[in-house]
Structures are given as structure tokens and as C-alpha cells.
Amino acid sequence: MAVDYSVIVLYLAGMLAMGWWGMRRAKSKSEFLVAGRRLGPAMYSGTMAAIVLGGASTIGGVGLGYQYGLSGAWMVFTIGLGLLALSVFFSARIARLKVYTVSEMLDLRYGGRAGVISGVVMWAYTLMLAVTSTIAYATIFDVLFDLNRTVAIILGGAIVVAYSTLGGMWSITLTDMVQFVVKTIGVLLLLLPIAVVKAGGFSEMKAKLPTSYFDPLGIGGETIFTYVLIYTFGMLIGQDIWQRVFTARSDRTARYGGTVAGTYCLVYALAGAVIGTAAKVMYPKLGSPDDAFATIVKDELPIGVRGLVLAAALAAVMSTSSGALIACATVANNDIWSRLRGIVKRSGEEHDEVKGNRAFILIMGVGVICTAIALNNVVEALTVAYNLLVGGLLVPILGGLLWKRGTVQGALAAVIVGGLAVIGLMAGYGILANEPVYYGLLASLAAYVVVSLATKPTDEAVLAAWRDRLAGRAPEPVSEPVPAHQ
């Protein structure tokens, strides 16, 4: 194991070194939060693929393959479909807005104070996303070093918090590129072919497993539909995803780079399902499907390769964790704290925006680590996060992009009604039930349409300014949307 340990330690040390390098480049708010909006196609594609393919997509994707066969690819497949839809239909317009958060977009579109309420919902989503990614460190470090769960979470979380706090989006972008390469080599080029060969090839897999394992719809139509609602639509509106779109050098980069990343996700989805199916042949009686990834890595891979594949799993977790962390901190600082400071007029002086955002990443990071230690069920936490996001924010965001008649009152009604409906339905049906997101989304849509039609249309001057921003005719704002001195 000494060779494997060396690979992992070098990888972790490299992450910290890149954080230090990023600190030297992050001299402004734009550099710190969105990498100066300067990423080209190659870097943009790699970092976008890295953030959406996290621990759930890697460890969880293999687990679904173990449980359902090839149809277990659907969860990650719908993530890829969402990224493709975002890139083809919306990313160019989103990139041209030159904002930092989804809530700023809502304020621009509706001309009202939708920011704080929508910011709270988005903050809860990004927090839970960061927490679930952080919990996954326990699984990986347990295989690597046989560490206690709490120690594993603190170790992995501390490294992510350190490089994210130091260099912001520049550090995260560079580490994500490395993580993308490591994942590609470790999962697609090494683990996938080795797993298939060790299982005896596809003919042997078909002979030993039920035919349902090779049915593309074996996981069930309702489950696939729910994945589309939660993950495909979730990709369209998540702050963690939008913040990456904001890093694109141009709208063309956002469109084509995102399309490449989405296509990569589809390949990754199928690879995870095949690896899980192969693991089912080799280990038919594992205690939990989520153990499939760690078991096949630990028992079947040669020395050195094992370390690289475990580094790939660590890379998957770290990329999502760091992306969710900076998104959580950006929303907390720019959409909630800065706006509340403006409302109560506590301070009139200018402040160091990089220093402030850096402090929020550190604070949110410590909170994420503590919450991860306290929580046990990753699936439940992730389900709560996506249900809140889709139920509360999908309608006002897409409505703002697609329907001119939507108003700020309708947007606020959709956020509040959809969010409360999801919470109430989860309490009634159970967190993992499908009904909360179905009915919550319908309630949000109804509230948005009815209230928008019942209230005064959005001022034409606001819509004209919105159209200018969408078309890229307006300059990037030099200050926060709601400065502290107003």
C-alpha cells in the first residue's frame, strides 16, 4: 500500500499547492469568484465536467450499476442531459448577464427584491450539496487509511476549504482540471476495462446476471422521470453550475465547452453502470450497493493503479465539494449578508470584497464540515437539497428567461409556495418520496402564473435593461447589486 499512499499524498499536496498559486491571481472580486470570466473552451469543459461528476456520480453511479445493471446509468445520464440543455439553450444568455449569482439574475429580470428569499433557498441547496460531498470523504479515506469517519471528514474537508479559501475560483479551476484528468484516467481508462476483464467479459456478465440487468429501462420509468425532474432541471438552475458558466471567456465558450462536458457526462454515466454490473458478477452479496466501488478497487486493482483510481474518486468528491462550497459562500455573502447590511444600513464604508468572500468561504467550510460530521444519510440530504432547488426556484428562473409577463410578485410567490409545499410534502410522504417534487413544482408553477397575471406587468424600463444585459450590450457592474452603503 506504500505506493498507493504515495500517489494519494502527492495528489493532496498538489491540491494545496494550486490553492497557493491561485491566491496570487485572485486580486479582485471577479478573479476570486468567477476566475476573471476568462476560461477558454478546454479549461471550461474540464472544470464543468469535474464539478457535476462528484462522489454521487462516481461511487453512487457504480452502486446503481451494481443494483440495477446498465439502467443504473440513468442518474448520471440525466445530469449530462441537463448540462447539455443548459449549454445549448441557456448558457450563452447566462454568460452575457455578467452577474455572480442566480439571485442577481432574478433581481435584474424582475426589478424587485427577490434576492434575499431566493438566496436563502439557493444557500440551503448549495450547503447540502457541499455537505453530501464532504461526507463522501469518509468512504474513501476509510478504504485508504482505515480512518475514523469524523477524522476522514475533517481531513478531506480541511484540504478543500484550504485551497478554496486561498485562491477562490482560480484555485478551484486549476484543481478541477487536474481532477478531471485524474478521473478520466482512473475511472474510464483503468477501472472500466479492468473491471470488465475481471468479470469475464460481457458474455460472462450476461450469463451470470438476470436479463433485467441489461434492460435500458430496468430501473423503472417513474424513477427515470424523477431523475429528469431533479437532476436535469437542477442542472439548469443551480448556483454551483451557473457560477461555472460565469467563468466562460465568451458565450460561444459557454455553449460549446458545456456541450463537450455534457457529452463526457453521458460516457461517464455508462462507464459507472458497467463497472457496477461487473462488480455484481464478482461480489454478488455485498452489504450495500455503495460498497461496490471501494470493494472492486481494493481487491482487483494492482498496486499503484489502485492509488490512482482512489485518487480519481477523491478528485470526484473534491471537485463537487469545492464548487458547492464557493457557491454556498458566494450566495451567503452576496445575496444574503450584503443585502441585509444594505437594508439595516449598518455600515457606510467600502470593504475589501475579496477578503470578505474569502472569509465567507472559510466560515461556510467550517459549517459544512461540522454538518457533515453530524449527518449520516447522504441520499436524504441530497434529496432535500434538490427538492428545494427544483420546487422553489425552477419556475421563477426559467419563467424569467422564457415568459415576459412574469412579475416579481409572481416570482416570490413561486419561491415561497413551491418551497413550503416541498417541505410539507416531504414531511407527509417522506424525504425520499417522489410526490414532494412533483406537487411542489406544480404548486410553484400555479402560483407564478396566477400571481403574475393578477399583478402589474414588470416595468418596461426594467425589461429593456434586462434585454440589453441578455444581448451583451451592457457593461459588467463594478460593484455589488445592493452595496452596503445604500
Side-chain angles (χ1 to χ4, degrees), residues 56-70:
S57 300
T58 303
I59 298 170
V62 171
L64 287 171
Y66 182 89
Q67 189 172 2
Y68 298 105
L70 298 186

Side-chain angles (χ1 to χ4, degrees), residues 1-5 7-8 144 185-186 189-195 197-198 282-283 294-311:
M1 290 292 289
V3 176
D4 296 326
Y5 290 162
V7 172
I8 299 298
L144 283 173
I185 295 172
L189 302 183
L190 292 176
L191 183 58
L192 174 61
I194 289 173
V197 170
K198 292 280 187 177
M282 291 182 278
Y283 310 99
T295 303
I296 195 170
V297 169
K298 193 172 184 179
D299 293 350
E300 302 297 336
L301 299 186
I303 294 171
V305 173
R306 180 170 49 201
L308 184 59
V309 172
L310 286 172

Side-chain angles (χ1 to χ4, degrees), residues 223-434:
T223 299
I224 295 170
F225 180 68
T226 303
Y227 284 159
V228 170
L229 273 187
I230 294 177
Y231 297 115
T232 301
F233 286 118
M235 287 296 106
L236 299 180
I237 58 175
Q239 170 67 25
D240 53 323
I241 309 303
W242 277 41
Q243 200 157 342
R244 293 310 173 96
V245 176
F246 300 151
T247 66
R249 186 169 59 199
S250 65
D251 52 11
R252 181 183 176 88
T253 296
R255 180 183 293 114
Y256 292 107
T259 301
V260 171
T263 304
Y264 178 89
C265 291
L266 303 184
V267 175
Y268 200 88
L270 186 58
V274 171
I275 292 167
T277 305
K280 183 67 175 179
V281 174
M282 291 182 278
Y283 310 99
K285 296 182 179 179
L286 288 178
S288 167
D290 285 342
D291 292 338
F293 180 89
T295 303
I296 195 170
V297 169
K298 193 172 184 179
D299 293 350
E300 302 297 336
L301 299 186
I303 294 171
V305 173
R306 180 170 49 201
L308 184 59
V309 172
L310 286 172
L314 200 57
V317 175
M318 282 187 160
S319 56
T320 299
S321 182
S322 59
L325 176 58
I326 194 172
C328 178
T330 302
V331 171
N333 187 18
N334 293 270
D335 290 339
I336 302 175
W337 175 242
S338 292
R339 294 167 190 266
L340 291 177
R341 289 177 75 231
I343 291 169
V344 299
K345 301 181 184 295
R346 287 184 180 176
S347 174
E349 69 268 7
E350 295 293 331
H351 58 285
D352 185 340
E353 294 190 53
V354 172
K355 184 178 179 181
N357 282 294
R358 184 172 280 136
F360 264 85
I361 290 179
L362 181 59
I363 293 167
M364 291 297 109
V366 172
V368 164
I369 291 171
C370 293
T371 307
I373 292 170
L375 285 180
N376 283 315
N377 196 312
V378 180
V379 176
E380 288 190 359
L382 196 62
T383 301
V384 169
Y386 273 100
N387 281 355
L388 277 174
L389 177 71
V390 174
L393 290 180
L394 178 67
V395 169
I397 292 171
L398 292 189
L401 289 169
L402 300 173
W403 191 40
K404 179 181 177 181
R405 187 61 180 82
T407 66
V408 64
Q409 294 89 348
L412 287 171
V415 173
I416 295 169
V417 171
L420 291 178
V422 164
I423 292 170
L425 289 164
M426 283 192 294
Y429 285 99
I431 290 176
L432 299 179
N434 293 327

Side-chain angles (χ1 to χ4, degrees), residues 152-183:
I153 289 172
I154 292 173
L155 176 60
I159 292 169
V160 169
V161 171
Y163 74 68
S164 300
T165 302
L166 285 172
M169 188 59 83
W170 269 123
S171 295
I172 292 170
T173 296
L174 194 58
T175 55
D176 276 0
M177 276 305 297
V178 175
Q179 289 158 354
F180 170 74
V181 172
V182 170
K183 276 193 286 193

Side-chain angles (χ1 to χ4, degrees), residues 70-95:
L70 298 186
S71 67
W74 273 106
M75 183 187 78
V76 183
F77 203 82
T78 54
I79 290 173
L81 291 178
L83 188 51
L84 285 171
L86 174 72
S87 302
V88 172
F89 299 112
F90 300 108
S91 64
R93 284 184 283 177
I94 292 170

